[in-house]
Amino acid sequence: MFDSFKCLVAGMAASVVMAAPAWAETRITYKSAKAGTSYYQMGVQIAEAMKSGPDGEIIVTVEEGQGSVQNVMEVRARGGDYVFTTPPVLVNLAQGGKAMFEGKGDPSFAEIRALFPIPSLTMHFVVSADSGINSFEDMEGKSILLGKGSFGAREGEKYLKLFGLDGKVNIADAELSNAVAALKNGQIDGFVTAGSWPAPNVVEAAASAGVNVLSLNDEQVAQTKRARLVIPAGTYAGQDEDIVTTSLPVVAYTTTKMDDETAYQLTKTFWESKAAMAEAAAWWGGVDAGLMENISGKMHPGAIRYYEEAGIALTDDQM
């Protein structure tokens, strides 16, 4: 009788163990940018791709971010389920306790590890077609919305100073999420946004309000010390010519708190889903192994495993 009971219990335990993989799922929080931006939509696409991964479902919850700097700051309070996006330069600053991270250092910054590159941050200086603004000089005395706290806001403020417009532009006190409505209502003359092209808020503004997206000349590009990027003509409604602007690499990160298997599956599923995502959104078309060289810090060991399997070379610093 007792032996029969032991056999029954053993059989039930074996059934549970065998069934476990079918129930297995991993939950991840993905923090990108504010709703309505290209980076938020990328997060939604990545979440959908992860759900259909080949080796167990990864459930990704996309959180609205308050900017790349804040995404890095939150590493201090997050666990192993945290994935966030930010330019590599901000990770370097955080780990060195420099610039906006001065006096805010934390040991957790040293634990940040890269997973994969995503489309680059692309600066857009968007102005109403009726504003009379055709160059940066024309922005003097106009009302421009930069947003608050985001990389795009900081970068936009920097560019205005570089181009001699410091104190000469009326900076609107509003969130970037209100930019399109404010432009349509005539409350502002333009806005600045940093998002991979085609940027959803610029698409909406161009289609509904009529806009110009300003180009930088070669001297202005050099002043910014960012990479020159060309947005092809026809990307936005009414855009008849190429737009010359700047860009900055962006990477998806986690920390060493994430287990190796989860990091491996996230990285593998991303790359294997990228072609399908590119069919739905043009911004994925520019993401390839060549962007790996933009990752200046260390990769997560789980991600390294995938890149070694895929034959994608990594630098000594990334290892």
Side-chain angles (χ1 to χ4, degrees), residues 117-132:
I118 63 174
S120 298
L121 273 168
T122 304
M123 291 299 293
H124 291 74
F125 290 84
V126 185
V127 296
S128 167
D130 299 326
S131 66

Side-chain angles (χ1 to χ4, degrees), residues 288-304:
D288 56 27
L291 290 185
M292 293 296 295
E293 66 183 26
N294 293 327
I295 302 176
S296 54
K298 293 186 178 297
M299 308 292 301
H300 193 287
I304 291 174

Side-chain angles (χ1 to χ4, degrees), residues 130-141:
D130 299 326
S131 66
I133 301 174
N134 296 300
S135 67
F136 283 92
E137 292 79 7
D138 295 336
M139 294 174 70
E140 185 171 345

Side-chain angles (χ1 to χ4, degrees), residues 74-306:
E74 288 198 24
V75 165
R76 299 175 297 180
R78 296 283 189 153
D81 63 342
Y82 184 50
V83 175
F84 65 99
T85 64
T86 198
V89 64
L90 291 187
V91 173
N92 295 339
L93 290 174
Q95 293 177 338
K98 299 177 180 178
M100 67 284 294
F101 298 98
E102 185 175 356
K104 301 176 183 178
D106 192 277
S108 59
F109 292 152
E111 300 175 357
I112 295 174
R113 297 292 183 270
L115 294 172
F116 47 80
I118 63 174
S120 298
L121 273 168
T122 304
M123 291 299 293
H124 291 74
F125 290 84
V126 185
V127 296
S128 167
D130 299 326
S131 66
I133 301 174
N134 296 300
S135 67
F136 283 92
E137 292 79 7
D138 295 336
M139 294 174 70
E140 185 171 345
K142 302 294 185 177
S143 179
I144 306 296
L145 195 160
L146 297 178
K148 300 177 181 179
S150 68
F151 172 83
R154 293 172 186 270
E155 194 81 343
E157 183 179 11
K158 183 184 85 171
Y159 285 28
L160 294 181
K161 290 180 180 178
L162 287 174
F163 302 160
L165 291 166
D166 189 23
K168 299 179 181 180
V169 173
N170 300 319
I171 305 300
D173 184 18
E175 293 287 347
L176 186 61
S177 56
N178 299 323
V180 176
L183 193 73
K184 290 168 65 175
N185 295 335
Q187 296 170 293
I188 59 174
D189 296 300
F191 65 91
V192 180
T193 185
S196 187
W197 62 274
N201 50 356
V202 182
V203 170
E204 182 184 356
S208 60
V211 301
N212 295 322
V213 181
L214 300 182
S215 275
L216 281 68
N217 59 39
D218 290 343
E219 181 182 352
Q220 289 169 332
V221 171
Q223 283 180 280
T224 69
K225 297 182 180 179
R226 301 298 189 200
R228 183 179 187 272
L229 183 141
V230 176
I231 301 175
T235 298
Y236 301 112
Q239 179 201 343
D240 298 325
E241 298 179 355
D242 291 348
I243 298 164
V244 177
T245 185
T246 60
S247 69
L248 189 68
V250 182
V251 173
Y253 290 93
T254 185
T255 69
T256 55
K257 295 176 184 178
M258 177 176 284
D259 66 88
D260 290 0
E261 182 63 23
T262 299
Y264 170 79
Q265 294 296 343
L266 282 169
T267 306
K268 178 182 179 185
T269 304
F270 168 79
W271 285 104
E272 292 182 350
S273 304
K274 190 185 73 67
M277 290 193 294
E279 292 180 2
W283 48 60
W284 294 111
V287 177
D288 56 27
L291 290 185
M292 293 296 295
E293 66 183 26
N294 293 327
I295 302 176
S296 54
K298 293 186 178 297
M299 308 292 301
H300 193 287
I304 291 174
R305 174 185 157 197
Y306 168 76

